[in-house]
């Protein structure tokens, strides 16, 4: 049974969301503040948390800072942020802080549950693909010092391991599966976030920006993940 950490200061909203998630079979831990959430994650109960649902407008430490601290602690925990206004700046800032997805409150139970299921799927093992998927070296490819191990789901650059959250790793795996091929933002939304996911390109652009910050020598002049203006992205190095 997947365990979700729900970080929400409004008791009525928190109780309602907890009830919905438990009815759908999830284990739920709750926190009313960012400080409580971080303390919970650092303790024994935090070891079983597989995903965090994080409200941005929290008393004390806001959701942006909580997300940054979660990302500093672990790269693998999916984070879905909740925003009450759907403000573009809030969404972009939250995604840049490391959130994998966002939903605008009030959110219906089916939408929230679908987003959680999609985020948990992104954290699952990635299937091998491509014409050489059965070859002896298909799981491990070296792209000018950037080594991608598709079986072990690890990425190293010049021998140094890179900690990539599931969403960023999936973007890299999708692009690197066919070097030189341009993938549109819609294609990446469908393949990385969910086949039925109705989102926007900010999710893709934010994930690419975070990915570049980790894998590129100079993120502003990327070698590995190239922008093709008016179309999308392709994998180099070029």
């Amino acid at each position: 049974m997947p365990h979700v950490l729900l970080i929400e200061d409004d008791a009525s909203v928190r109780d309602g969301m907890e009830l919905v998630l438990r009815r759908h079979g999830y284990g739920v831990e709750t926190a009313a503040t960012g400080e409580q959430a971080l303390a919970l994650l650092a303790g024994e109960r935090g070891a079983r948390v597989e995903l965090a649902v994080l409200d941005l407008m929290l008393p004390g430490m806001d959701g942006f800072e909580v997300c940054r601290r979660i990302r500093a602690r672990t790269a693998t925990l999916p984070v879905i942020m909740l925003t009450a206004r759907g403000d573009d700046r809030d969404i972009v800032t939250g995604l840049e802080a490391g959130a994998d997805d966002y939903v605008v409150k009030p959110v219906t139970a089916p939408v929230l549950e679908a987003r959680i299921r999609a985020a948990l799927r992104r954290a699952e093992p990635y299937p091998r693909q491509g014409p050489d998927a059965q070859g002896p070296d298909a799981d491990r490819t070296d792209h000018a010092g950037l080594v991608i191990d598709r079986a072990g789901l690890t990425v190293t650059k010049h021998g140094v391991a890179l900690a990539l959250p599931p969403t960023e790793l999936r973007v890299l795996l999708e692009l690197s599966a066919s070097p030189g091929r341009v993938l549109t933002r819609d294609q990446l939304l469908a393949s990385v976030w969910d086949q039925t996911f109705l989102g926007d390109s900010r999710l893709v652009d934010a994930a690419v920006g975070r990915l570049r910050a980790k894998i590129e020598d100079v993120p502003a002049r990327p070698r590995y993940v190239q922008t093709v203006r008016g179309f999308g992205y392709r994998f180099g190095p070029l």
Side-chain angles (χ1 to χ4, degrees):
M1 178 174 63
H3 244 73
V4 174
L5 171 59
L6 177 58
I7 311 165
E8 166 63 64
D9 66 308
D10 187 312
S12 61
V13 173
R14 186 174 64 249
D15 292 346
M17 294 176 69
E18 179 181 4
L19 180 61
V20 166
L21 292 175
R22 289 192 183 280
R23 283 178 174 173
H24 281 84
Y26 294 94
V28 182
E29 302 286 347
T30 63
T33 68
E35 291 84 353
Q36 289 178 9
L38 293 172
L40 187 150
L41 287 171
E44 292 183 6
R45 291 159 61 197
R48 56 185 178 178
V49 171
E50 298 175 57
L51 179 140
V53 177
L54 169 65
D55 185 28
L56 290 183
M57 299 297 107
L58 295 171
M61 186 187 302
D62 66 24
F64 303 112
E65 182 60 25
V66 175
C67 189
R68 293 187 190 99
R69 295 197 184 193
I70 289 175
R71 279 289 163 259
R73 184 191 302 269
T74 174
T76 59
L77 182 70
V79 176
I80 298 175
M81 66 179 188
L82 300 174
T83 174
R85 295 174 297 169
D87 184 273
D88 285 353
R89 287 180 299 176
D90 283 354
I91 292 169
V92 171
T93 302
L95 293 173
E96 290 177 346
D100 298 281
D101 194 2
Y102 74 91
V103 292
V104 178
K105 296 191 297 185
V107 57
T108 65
V111 168
L112 178 61
E113 206 270 329
R115 296 292 181 87
I116 289 174
R117 281 190 285 106
L120 290 172
R121 282 197 297 270
R122 288 196 294 276
E124 293 174 353
Y126 190 85
R128 297 170 64 180
Q129 55 182 270
D132 300 323
Q134 302 305 316
D137 299 320
D139 286 334
R140 188 177 184 276
T141 54
D142 189 335
H143 305 274
L146 184 73
V147 178
I148 302 172
D149 185 338
R150 308 180 84 83
L153 296 180
T154 60
V155 179
T156 60
K157 184 175 180 183
H158 304 310
V160 178
L162 304 180
L164 299 181
T167 298
E168 294 167 38
L169 179 59
R170 292 257 171 180
V171 170
L172 178 60
L173 293 173
E174 284 290 333
L175 290 169
S176 63
S178 303
R181 177 191 174 197
V182 178
L183 294 180
T184 67
R185 289 172 174 82
D186 285 344
Q187 287 174 315
L188 288 169
L189 276 170
S191 59
V192 173
W193 277 263
D194 192 87
Q195 289 293 336
T196 60
F197 179 77
L198 300 176
D200 62 59
S201 61
R202 290 174 295 191
L203 289 166
V204 178
D205 294 340
V208 167
R210 299 194 307 264
L211 177 61
R212 283 173 171 166
K214 298 178 178 74
I215 68 172
E216 303 286 357
D217 293 327
V218 183
R221 297 196 298 274
R223 295 181 59 222
Y224 296 105
V225 180
Q226 301 279 327
T227 300
V228 181
R229 293 192 180 278
F231 293 93
Y233 298 100
R234 68 183 170 198
F235 183 79
L238 302 177

